[in-house]
Structures are given as structure tokens and as C-alpha cells.
Amino acid sequence: DAGITQSPRHKVTETGTPVTLRCHQTENHRYMYWYRQDPGHGLRLIHYSYGVKDTDKGEVSDGYSVSRSKTEDFLLTLESATSSQTSVYFCAISGTGESQPQHFGDGTRLSIL
Amino acid sequence: AQKVTQAQTEISVVEKEDVTLDCVYETRDTTYYLFWYKQPPSGELVFLIRRNSFDEQNEISGRYSWNFQKSTSSFNFTITASQVVDSAVYFCALSGINAGNMLTFGGGTRLMVKP
């Protein structure tokens, strides 16, 4: 299994609070991604990173920010959580090379009340 | 823009039946890659296969087989002699030639295999 750890695995919080999810990899892969999974939508890309301090927006980036200060860590922050951000969040990593498959962490279930 | 459509949202079969999961894609890229992932009830996403747009040979891996047809923009997945352990949500995904190996996912097909 790819060495990807997401923390926390579950979180319940209130609307308006800041939330940070962490993704840690031990594979030294260049690319890292954050997705959200909602019923009927499959997985949608929030942000991705192609190197330390290099990030870009995905399809559903509004309300989210990311940071990558080290190769192994990719943080996703909800500055002021809203109920619409209740979802399951997945981190993924991918090696360098044309269309290498992405490998996923176990997910974080986030509930915003 | 890229798009992946999995028209079957849910399929229910009885164990030992064969089942085919459909995937239709849209892309303007001439070079692209197609993927299938499995998400069992435990929730993790498992990579199953990657095919590139220049390789239309069907692939078989045990009870799994994949049929790629460029003419119909389809990449269908067949499970032969299904088993209860095959129960999962299956996602088809597409990647063009882009920096970052980004994927566009279909909405997924939930397969339920009953004993």
C-alpha cells in the first residue's frame, strides 16, 4: 500500500470554525491532491500540488486553501467551515511520469453542523 | 473540457453472474489515459487499471476484463462470475496530457452482489 496517512479520520465541527486536514506521504512523490467525495458527484478535485510551495486550484476550490511546505505534507484548510463542506475528503499522491496512477489515503469524514 | 459518464448508478446481481460496468468519456486530447478504481464498503480507493489511448487491446486479469473502444469512447469493465467481495462502488476516470496527472472522475457505479 502507498504510504499515505490522513488525519484526522473523522471530525465534527461547527459552522464558522476553521478546519485543517493533513495528508502525509512517505513515498517522496511529487504530486499531491485533495478531493471531496459527495453522493452522485464521484470525486472532485479541490486543489493539487506539483512541488513544495507549488499549488493550483481544482474544480471546486472556493472556500478552501492549501499549503505544502515539505514534500511529505499537504494541508487542506477550510478557513470558515460551512455545512456545504460536509463531505468525505481524500488525499492522493502520484509519481512523476505521464499519467501515473494516483494512490489514495483512507479519507477523512468531516461533518459541519 | 473532459467528462466521464457512468450511466449506471446502481447494479444488483446474484453471485456468479457476469456484470459489465459502462464508462463513456469525452476529451479533445488525442493522447489520454483511462483508469478504473474500486471503493469497497470500507471506503478506501483502490487502483485497478490504467490504459492509454493508443492501446485498444482488451485486458484480462483473473475475473476482471476491460474493453476499450475508441470508436465509441467507451472503457467498459466486466466482472466474470461475480462474488460478494466484488460489492463496491467502481469509478472510471480520465487523464489527459497535462501537468500534474489530474483525473476527471465519473460519478461511480455501485455494484451489489447478492449471495
Side-chain angles (χ1 to χ4, degrees):
Chain A
D1 289 342
I4 310 167
T5 304
Q6 290 187 232
S7 59
R9 293 293 316 280
H10 303 271
K11 186 172 182 68
V12 180
T13 191
E14 294 184 348
T15 301
T17 59
V19 177
T20 296
L21 308 183
R22 180 181 184 239
C23 178
H24 178 79
Q25 61 144 330
T26 58
E27 306 296 318
N28 201 34
H29 279 345
R30 177 181 179 186
Y31 299 112
M32 298 185 76
Y33 315 81
W34 276 108
Y35 291 89
R36 60 179 289 173
Q37 182 179 17
D38 304 290
H41 291 278
L43 283 91
R44 293 181 292 173
L45 182 67
I46 304 171
H47 282 279
Y48 68 99
S49 170
Y50 44 96
V52 173
K53 297 187 179 178
D54 290 324
T55 65
D56 208 346
K57 296 178 180 180
E59 179 189 354
V60 290
S61 59
D62 287 348
Y64 301 95
S65 62
V66 290
S67 66
R68 191 169 178 197
S69 59
K70 298 185 289 185
T71 298
E72 57 266 35
D73 290 327
F74 192 31
L75 303 181
L76 176 71
T77 297
L78 292 66
E79 300 289 349
S80 179
T82 68
S83 58
S84 64
Q85 294 175 310
T86 292
S87 187
V88 180
Y89 291 85
F90 284 95
C91 173
I93 64 174
S94 173
T96 307
E98 194 169 277
S99 284
Q100 290 299 304
Q102 294 181 17
H103 296 280
F104 288 79
D106 290 337
T108 293
R109 186 171 296 275
L110 178 63
S111 297
I112 300 164
L113 306 178
Chain B
Q2 298 181 327
K3 185 178 180 181
V4 177
T5 302
Q6 295 180 254
Q8 306 150 307
T9 54
E10 258 186 39
I11 301 175
S12 181
V13 299
V14 176
E15 207 169 20
K16 298 184 184 176
E17 286 185 11
D18 299 346
V19 58
T20 295
L21 311 182
D22 297 333
C23 173
V24 174
Y25 62 91
E26 298 174 27
T27 180
R28 293 180 182 175
D29 292 334
T30 53
T31 301
Y32 51 90
Y33 292 79
L34 295 160
F35 302 78
W36 277 94
Y37 285 84
K38 174 181 180 180
Q39 186 176 41
S42 49
E44 72 273 20
L45 282 146
V46 179
F47 165 69
L48 295 178
I49 189 171
R50 177 188 76 158
R51 298 306 298 274
N52 74 56
S53 52
F54 296 108
D55 183 2
E56 289 193 68
Q57 283 191 359
N58 291 338
E59 179 149 346
I60 299 174
S61 176
R63 296 184 297 107
Y64 294 174
S65 62
W66 291 269
N67 179 258
F68 175 31
Q69 291 199 342
K70 221 168 177 176
S71 59
T72 56
S73 297
S74 65
F75 186 44
N76 296 338
F77 174 28
T78 297
I79 301 174
T80 302
S82 60
Q83 300 176 2
V84 172
V85 293
D86 296 325
S87 297
V89 180
Y90 292 87
F91 292 98
C92 181
L94 167 69
S95 174
I97 297 299
N98 57 67
N101 296 335
M102 286 181 287
L103 294 174
T104 299
F105 281 86
T109 297
R110 180 177 301 277
L111 173 65
M112 292 174 287
V113 182
K114 299 178 181 177

